[in-house]
Short mmCIF file of all heavy atoms in Angstrom, two decimals:
data_model
loop_
_atom_site.label_atom_id
_atom_site.label_comp_id
_atom_site.label_asym_id
_atom_site.label_seq_id
_atom_site.Cartn_x
_atom_site.Cartn_y
_atom_site.Cartn_z
N GLU U 1 0.81 -1.22 -0.01
CA GLU U 1 0.01 0.00 0.01
C GLU U 1 0.87 1.25 -0.01
O GLU U 1 2.03 1.22 0.39
CB GLU U 1 -0.94 0.05 1.21
CG GLU U 1 -0.35 0.35 2.56
CD GLU U 1 -1.32 0.40 3.70
OE1 GLU U 1 -2.52 0.31 3.47
OE2 GLU U 1 -0.80 0.47 4.83
N ALA U 2 0.23 2.32 -0.44
CA ALA U 2 0.91 3.65 -0.39
C ALA U 2 0.05 4.52 0.56
O ALA U 2 -1.17 4.40 0.57
CB ALA U 2 0.91 4.25 -1.83
N ALA U 3 0.73 5.26 1.29
CA ALA U 3 0.10 6.19 2.23
C ALA U 3 0.24 7.62 1.73
O ALA U 3 1.32 8.00 1.28
CB ALA U 3 0.68 6.05 3.67
N VAL U 4 -0.82 8.35 1.82
CA VAL U 4 -0.83 9.74 1.40
C VAL U 4 -1.18 10.62 2.62
O VAL U 4 -2.15 10.32 3.31
CB VAL U 4 -1.87 9.98 0.28
CG1 VAL U 4 -1.91 11.46 -0.08
CG2 VAL U 4 -1.57 9.10 -0.90
N THR U 5 -0.41 11.61 2.83
CA THR U 5 -0.74 12.56 3.94
C THR U 5 -1.05 13.91 3.36
O THR U 5 -0.37 14.39 2.48
CB THR U 5 0.54 12.67 4.84
OG1 THR U 5 0.89 11.44 5.34
CG2 THR U 5 0.29 13.67 6.01
N CYS U 6 -2.15 14.48 3.82
CA CYS U 6 -2.62 15.76 3.41
C CYS U 6 -2.66 16.66 4.65
O CYS U 6 -3.03 16.24 5.73
CB CYS U 6 -3.96 15.73 2.76
SG CYS U 6 -4.02 14.77 1.29
N ALA U 7 -2.30 17.91 4.42
CA ALA U 7 -2.41 18.90 5.57
C ALA U 7 -2.89 20.19 4.99
O ALA U 7 -2.53 20.61 3.82
CB ALA U 7 -1.11 19.04 6.27
N HIS U 8 -3.69 20.92 5.71
CA HIS U 8 -4.18 22.20 5.35
C HIS U 8 -4.00 23.07 6.61
O HIS U 8 -4.67 22.83 7.58
CB HIS U 8 -5.65 22.19 4.92
CG HIS U 8 -6.12 23.52 4.44
ND1 HIS U 8 -5.72 24.04 3.25
CD2 HIS U 8 -7.02 24.33 4.96
CE1 HIS U 8 -6.35 25.20 3.12
NE2 HIS U 8 -7.10 25.37 4.13
N GLU U 9 -3.16 24.05 6.58
CA GLU U 9 -2.73 24.76 7.75
C GLU U 9 -3.26 26.20 7.83
O GLU U 9 -2.59 27.06 8.34
CB GLU U 9 -1.21 24.76 7.84
CG GLU U 9 -0.66 23.35 7.95
CD GLU U 9 0.82 23.28 8.04
OE1 GLU U 9 1.47 24.35 8.17
OE2 GLU U 9 1.39 22.18 8.01
N THR U 10 -4.50 26.38 7.39
CA THR U 10 -5.12 27.71 7.59
C THR U 10 -6.52 27.46 8.10
O THR U 10 -7.08 26.35 8.05
CB THR U 10 -5.19 28.50 6.24
OG1 THR U 10 -6.08 27.86 5.41
CG2 THR U 10 -3.85 28.65 5.60
N ALA U 11 -7.14 28.51 8.59
CA ALA U 11 -8.49 28.37 9.12
C ALA U 11 -9.53 28.35 8.00
O ALA U 11 -10.66 27.89 8.22
CB ALA U 11 -8.77 29.58 10.04
N GLU U 12 -9.13 28.74 6.80
CA GLU U 12 -10.14 28.74 5.68
C GLU U 12 -10.10 27.41 4.98
O GLU U 12 -9.05 26.77 4.87
CB GLU U 12 -9.77 29.83 4.69
CG GLU U 12 -9.84 31.21 5.28
CD GLU U 12 -9.38 32.32 4.27
OE1 GLU U 12 -9.44 32.04 3.04
OE2 GLU U 12 -8.94 33.34 4.74
N LEU U 13 -11.29 27.02 4.46
CA LEU U 13 -11.33 25.82 3.64
C LEU U 13 -10.68 26.09 2.26
O LEU U 13 -10.78 27.20 1.74
CB LEU U 13 -12.78 25.42 3.37
CG LEU U 13 -13.51 24.72 4.52
CD1 LEU U 13 -14.98 24.53 4.15
CD2 LEU U 13 -12.91 23.40 4.78
N PRO U 14 -10.10 25.08 1.74
CA PRO U 14 -9.55 25.24 0.34
C PRO U 14 -10.76 25.41 -0.62
O PRO U 14 -11.86 25.00 -0.29
CB PRO U 14 -8.75 23.98 0.09
CG PRO U 14 -9.29 23.01 1.08
CD PRO U 14 -9.81 23.75 2.22
N PRO U 15 -10.51 25.92 -1.79
CA PRO U 15 -11.62 25.99 -2.76
C PRO U 15 -12.20 24.63 -3.04
O PRO U 15 -11.43 23.64 -3.25
CB PRO U 15 -10.93 26.59 -4.02
CG PRO U 15 -9.62 27.16 -3.57
CD PRO U 15 -9.26 26.42 -2.35
N LEU U 16 -13.50 24.53 -3.04
CA LEU U 16 -14.18 23.29 -3.32
C LEU U 16 -14.95 23.31 -4.62
O LEU U 16 -15.43 24.38 -4.97
CB LEU U 16 -15.20 22.99 -2.17
CG LEU U 16 -14.64 22.86 -0.77
CD1 LEU U 16 -15.78 22.73 0.23
CD2 LEU U 16 -13.68 21.68 -0.68
N LEU U 17 -14.99 22.18 -5.28
CA LEU U 17 -15.81 22.03 -6.47
C LEU U 17 -17.31 21.99 -6.00
O LEU U 17 -17.57 21.68 -4.86
CB LEU U 17 -15.48 20.72 -7.20
CG LEU U 17 -14.07 20.63 -7.70
CD1 LEU U 17 -13.83 19.17 -8.19
CD2 LEU U 17 -13.83 21.57 -8.88
N PRO U 18 -18.24 22.34 -6.92
CA PRO U 18 -19.62 22.34 -6.50
C PRO U 18 -20.10 21.02 -5.87
O PRO U 18 -20.82 21.02 -4.89
CB PRO U 18 -20.35 22.66 -7.80
CG PRO U 18 -19.35 23.42 -8.57
CD PRO U 18 -18.06 22.84 -8.25
N LYS U 19 -19.66 19.88 -6.44
CA LYS U 19 -20.07 18.56 -5.89
C LYS U 19 -19.51 18.40 -4.46
O LYS U 19 -20.21 17.89 -3.58
CB LYS U 19 -19.45 17.47 -6.76
CG LYS U 19 -20.40 16.69 -7.61
CD LYS U 19 -19.68 15.59 -8.28
CE LYS U 19 -20.57 15.04 -9.41
NZ LYS U 19 -19.97 14.02 -10.18
N GLN U 20 -18.27 18.84 -4.28
CA GLN U 20 -17.68 18.72 -2.93
C GLN U 20 -18.41 19.60 -1.95
O GLN U 20 -18.65 19.19 -0.82
CB GLN U 20 -16.22 19.14 -2.98
CG GLN U 20 -15.35 18.17 -3.75
CD GLN U 20 -13.90 18.77 -4.00
OE1 GLN U 20 -13.76 19.95 -4.33
NE2 GLN U 20 -12.96 17.87 -3.91
N ARG U 21 -18.80 20.82 -2.35
CA ARG U 21 -19.54 21.74 -1.48
C ARG U 21 -20.89 21.13 -1.09
O ARG U 21 -21.26 21.14 0.09
CB ARG U 21 -19.71 23.09 -2.07
CG ARG U 21 -20.29 24.11 -1.14
CD ARG U 21 -20.12 25.53 -1.59
NE ARG U 21 -18.74 25.98 -1.68
CZ ARG U 21 -17.93 26.18 -0.67
NH1 ARG U 21 -18.37 26.02 0.56
NH2 ARG U 21 -16.72 26.58 -0.82
N ARG U 22 -21.62 20.54 -2.10
CA ARG U 22 -22.93 19.94 -1.76
C ARG U 22 -22.73 18.80 -0.80
O ARG U 22 -23.53 18.67 0.15
CB ARG U 22 -23.59 19.46 -3.05
CG ARG U 22 -24.27 20.55 -3.86
CD ARG U 22 -25.18 19.97 -4.92
NE ARG U 22 -24.58 18.97 -5.80
CZ ARG U 22 -23.88 19.25 -6.88
NH1 ARG U 22 -23.65 20.51 -7.30
NH2 ARG U 22 -23.35 18.24 -7.62
N LEU U 23 -21.72 17.97 -1.00
CA LEU U 23 -21.49 16.83 -0.08
C LEU U 23 -21.17 17.35 1.33
O LEU U 23 -21.76 16.90 2.33
CB LEU U 23 -20.33 15.97 -0.57
CG LEU U 23 -19.94 14.80 0.30
CD1 LEU U 23 -21.08 13.82 0.46
CD2 LEU U 23 -18.71 14.09 -0.21
N LEU U 24 -20.30 18.37 1.40
CA LEU U 24 -19.94 18.90 2.71
C LEU U 24 -21.16 19.52 3.41
O LEU U 24 -21.36 19.26 4.60
CB LEU U 24 -18.87 19.95 2.52
CG LEU U 24 -18.35 20.61 3.80
CD1 LEU U 24 -17.64 19.58 4.72
CD2 LEU U 24 -17.36 21.75 3.47
N GLU U 25 -22.01 20.18 2.70
CA GLU U 25 -23.17 20.85 3.27
C GLU U 25 -24.26 19.83 3.62
O GLU U 25 -25.11 20.16 4.44
CB GLU U 25 -23.69 21.89 2.31
CG GLU U 25 -22.80 23.12 2.15
CD GLU U 25 -23.13 24.09 1.07
OE1 GLU U 25 -24.05 23.77 0.26
OE2 GLU U 25 -22.48 25.11 0.98
N SER U 26 -24.29 18.67 3.03
CA SER U 26 -25.29 17.68 3.36
C SER U 26 -24.92 16.85 4.60
O SER U 26 -25.75 16.02 5.08
CB SER U 26 -25.53 16.73 2.16
OG SER U 26 -24.46 15.89 1.97
N CYS U 27 -23.74 16.97 5.09
CA CYS U 27 -23.28 16.19 6.23
C CYS U 27 -23.06 17.10 7.48
O CYS U 27 -22.84 18.27 7.35
CB CYS U 27 -21.94 15.56 5.90
SG CYS U 27 -21.98 14.31 4.60
N SER U 28 -23.16 16.44 8.62
CA SER U 28 -22.82 17.12 9.85
C SER U 28 -21.86 16.19 10.68
O SER U 28 -21.84 15.02 10.42
CB SER U 28 -24.04 17.46 10.65
OG SER U 28 -24.74 16.30 11.01
N CYS U 29 -21.18 16.80 11.59
CA CYS U 29 -20.27 16.05 12.46
C CYS U 29 -20.67 16.22 13.84
O CYS U 29 -20.92 17.33 14.29
CB CYS U 29 -18.81 16.57 12.23
SG CYS U 29 -18.25 16.35 10.53
N VAL U 30 -20.74 15.11 14.57
CA VAL U 30 -21.13 15.09 16.00
C VAL U 30 -20.10 14.35 16.74
O VAL U 30 -19.71 13.25 16.38
CB VAL U 30 -22.50 14.44 16.16
CG1 VAL U 30 -22.94 14.46 17.60
CG2 VAL U 30 -23.59 15.12 15.29
#
């Protein structure tokens, strides 16, 4: 297997595609 590490080090979300934004907005985290 290959492992991929991603990091985003600002308070703002990176730009999202419309599909990604809809998915994000349809979910909640508890």
Side-chain angles (χ1 to χ4, degrees):
E1 75 179 352
V4 177
T5 301
C6 296
H8 183 70
E9 298 181 7
T10 67
E12 297 176 26
L13 281 175
L16 299 174
L17 298 171
K19 252 185 195 176
Q20 293 170 317
R21 184 163 300 286
R22 280 194 309 275
L23 178 63
L24 183 63
E25 290 169 354
S26 71
C27 295
S28 61
C29 301
V30 179

